Amino acid sequence: MKNIIQAVKGTREFYPEQMFARNFIYGKVRAASEMFGYQEWDGPFIEPLELYAAKSGEELVKKQSFTFEDRGGEQVALRPELTPSLARMIAAKQGELNFPVRWWSFGPFWRYESPQRGRSREFFQWNIDMLGADSPEADAELIAVGATFLRSVGLSPSLTQIYVNNRRLMDSQFDALDIPTDKRVDVSNLVDRRAKMESAKWEAYALEIGLNQNQLDGLKSLLGNFDLWKQSEELTRTFTALEALGVKDYVKFDPNIMRGLLYYTGTVFEAFDTSGSVKRAIFGGGRYDNLLADVGGQPLSGVGFAMGDVVAGIILQEAGLIPEFQPSPAQVLVTVFDTTLLPQSFALAAELRAAGLNVMVYPEPTKLQKQFKFADKMKMKVAVTVGPDEAANGQAAVKSLRTGEQVVVTRAAAAEKIREWLK
RNA sequence: GAGCCUGUAGCUCAAUGGCAGAGCGCCACACUGUGGAUGUGGAUGUUGUGGGUUCGAAACCCAUCAGGCUCCCCA
């Protein structure tokens, strides 16, 4: 036992119960995506390293990606994100796609980071994007898809909120405060850290990165102004659309949401669990205008977001929203009386399957008590036994494991009786 | 990449330098054509791994692996 080779650090093993939870999320992701007309797609899991190196900082790529040299000497990476693959695939067919394109994907990603709660090295991520439309209403649609997902898994607005901001709005505010362009990255970092730091330390840090007292005061009042969105035509339209889409109770303007400066150019948003149990965002995204130009395509605006399965899974688990795991997809067990009658049980199981039931048959003759115990542990609803008496008369004993009631019926009538008890 | 905490039976955890234990779960039997409940009995184990200190280590020290918290990062 102790000599078992361990799983790779930061990976997760999906036993049937975890697989069930993962597929639950996948199913809800699919439903929310398809409800809005998005098509499922995927890219390769391995990409040339330069696909990421071109866009992201090289240090980040080298430090936080799983990279290796293949046998042909090519530098490749396990994909750390999907957006560059999306950009390339869109650019390659830019002339023939029917815009606006609505695509979603759910697949594995790898990042070489230090594993901790809510973060693993191998995870699944939902990506969903609309490309070729740049209206505030398109932004609203993506936020509504996210809200629809939250609602569909039972995460009410009191449990989760989507915070919305807009980079252009913030830029104009930074302009008004005379914060120079080359300080914007630092200021974004500063804003991101505000919740994590004590206010005195945070203010000291603000002065440290070169803000003057006047700018700091301006920034503080800016970050406390939750009516600021009214000054942005874009956000005003987005919020109007969100109301029409019926998800207004999920969204709230928050000037503290920045999402870095990497490629977001307009509206940005992040969903959080309001209990604060997990401090990481459930999902986050926004509008980007320059994506395709980076991979050689024609300029094309897009909006999208990504959701990892780790944080979402923890929150759903804690909220008790993952449905009860069923140990077996079958609800019927056909027992085996003894060696002589084993073929009868196998034949009966086949008949029941042909009648459309999911049926397990005990794979070897053993004490009936043990077989019923097994059926109970596997949460079977019905057990069917063909003993000598039943076999002699072409019958089967059908027992409801919920009520304990048992009836002997002809084999031909067994399926119907089982179906009745499964209801 | 840095700091801190944790690691004991399948699970949750006791044992603070002196015989490795409890509860739950598991197995057997009571019950040779039938689960859940009950009773009786049984097995839980390289104390994460490797080394060191000691008459003696689960405990103390060093290293290492894994998980967690914080920083960093978050494409």
Side-chain angles (χ1 to χ4, degrees):
Chain A
M1 198 64 180
K2 298 299 178 196
N3 292 329
I4 287 178
I5 293 172
Q6 289 183 329
V8 172
K9 178 174 180 166
T11 60
R12 290 167 298 161
E13 298 179 302
F14 293 88
Y15 288 85
E17 189 161 2
Q18 288 86 44
M19 194 65 200
F20 174 79
R22 183 174 117 193
N23 279 330
F24 169 72
I25 293 174
Y26 191 10
K28 294 296 185 181
V29 159
R30 172 184 300 280
S33 304
E34 292 185 345
M35 203 180 291
F36 285 78
Y38 287 69
Q39 295 173 288
E40 189 175 15
W41 71 285
D42 210 342
F45 296 176
I46 308 175
E47 289 278 19
L49 183 59
E50 60 181 335
L51 178 68
Y52 308 104
K55 194 178 72 64
S56 325
E58 202 145 342
E59 277 185 35
L60 273 180
V61 170
K62 282 201 172 135
K63 274 177 79 172
Q64 303 213 322
S65 292
F66 279 87
T67 63
F68 58 96
E69 188 180 301
D70 70 17
R71 288 175 195 277
E74 195 86 14
Q75 287 296 323
V76 297
L78 295 177
R79 62 180 188 182
E81 59 165 330
L82 191 60
T83 309
S85 306
L86 171 68
R88 180 190 60 204
M89 286 170 63
I90 293 281
K93 304 221 176 208
Q94 203 161 1
E96 58 184 280
L97 288 168
N98 191 19
F99 291 100
V101 158
R102 287 176 163 97
W103 285 5
W104 71 279
S105 182
F106 184 85
F109 295 86
W110 294 265
R111 290 183 193 173
Y112 197 81
E113 297 184 288
S114 159
Q116 45 188 272
R117 185 175 158 85
R119 193 165 72 182
S120 58
R121 288 185 173 178
E122 181 178 64
F123 55 95
F124 286 80
Q125 197 170 69
W126 176 26
N127 284 266
I128 181 162
D129 295 272
M130 182 181 349
L131 294 117
D134 70 351
S135 68
E137 289 76 20
D139 297 345
E141 174 171 306
L142 266 294
I143 295 170
V145 172
T148 298
F149 168 81
L150 295 176
R151 187 153 55 202
S152 75
V153 294
L155 288 168
S156 67
S158 62
L159 294 173
T160 48
Q161 282 284 305
I162 305 170
Y163 302 106
V164 182
N165 195 7
N166 184 281
R167 289 234 22 91
R168 270 184 284 270
L169 171 64
M170 295 307 279
D171 272 333
S172 70
Q173 298 295 313
F174 291 159
D175 287 344
L177 288 171
D178 284 325
I179 295 172
T181 322
D182 61 356
K183 286 228 165 64
R184 298 283 162 92
V185 175
D186 287 340
V187 172
S188 293
N189 265 325
L190 180 69
V191 172
D192 274 342
R193 272 181 217 190
R194 194 170 180 219
K196 286 185 183 175
M197 294 173 80
E198 291 170 31
S199 58
K201 277 189 179 174
W202 183 78
E203 290 184 17
Y205 182 58
L207 300 174
E208 204 176 294
I209 63 170
L211 295 188
N212 61 39
Q213 189 62 45
N214 201 30
Q215 291 170 325
L216 173 56
D217 291 343
L219 185 61
K220 277 163 67 182
S221 87
L222 179 62
L223 297 178
N225 183 358
F226 288 82
D227 287 326
L228 193 64
W229 61 277
K230 291 174 181 164
Q231 297 176 29
S232 158
E233 197 218 328
E234 264 185 80
L235 282 182
T236 307
R237 281 173 60 186
T238 299
F239 279 111
T240 301
L242 284 167
E243 184 159 18
L245 287 163
V247 297
K248 199 173 182 235
D249 45 353
Y250 273 100
V251 294
K252 197 176 284 177
F253 169 73
D254 190 332
N256 296 281
I257 297 296
M258 292 301 287
R259 289 196 67 73
L261 275 173
L262 276 146
Y263 50 59
Y264 293 111
T265 50
T267 290
V268 291
F269 53 93
E270 286 185 333
F272 284 93
D273 142 56
T274 53
S275 78
S277 155
V278 186
K279 286 174 195 132
R280 300 169 193 286
I282 301 170
F283 61 73
R287 172 158 299 280
Y288 43 84
D289 285 331
N290 310 320
L291 194 64
L292 260 64
D294 292 341
V295 292
Q298 296 299 308
L300 187 71
S301 187
V303 56
F305 69 84
M307 178 185 83
D309 73 315
V310 183
V311 170
I314 291 172
I315 287 166
L316 288 172
Q317 195 79 47
E318 286 184 350
L321 291 171
I322 294 178
E324 194 190 349
F325 170 65
Q326 296 301 323
S328 171
Q331 296 181 304
V332 181
L333 176 77
V334 177
T335 62
V336 170
F337 192 86
D338 59 25
T339 310
T340 335
L341 289 169
L342 187 144
Q344 299 251 14
S345 288
F346 273 54
L348 175 59
E351 288 162 24
L352 296 176
R353 291 187 193 112
L357 294 164
N358 288 359
V359 176
M360 260 200 295
V361 58
Y362 207 87
E364 56 194 8
T366 180
K367 289 168 71 172
L368 279 179
Q369 187 183 21
K370 188 171 175 184
Q371 300 185 42
F372 271 78
K373 230 170 201 156
F374 174 78
D376 190 50
K377 293 243 172 66
M378 295 300 279
K379 300 216 167 111
M380 297 287 109
K381 301 220 163 42
V382 174
V384 188
T385 305
V386 182
D389 298 343
E390 290 85 8
N393 301 312
Q395 292 173 317
V398 181
K399 179 172 183 177
S400 165
L401 295 178
R402 273 190 297 219
T403 65
E405 188 186 351
Q406 177 168 302
V407 294
V408 176
V409 298
T410 64
R411 277 171 64 151
E416 196 188 340
K417 189 69 200 171
I418 292 167
R419 229 183 274 282
E420 180 192 323
W421 273 342
L422 288 182
K423 283 216 77 178

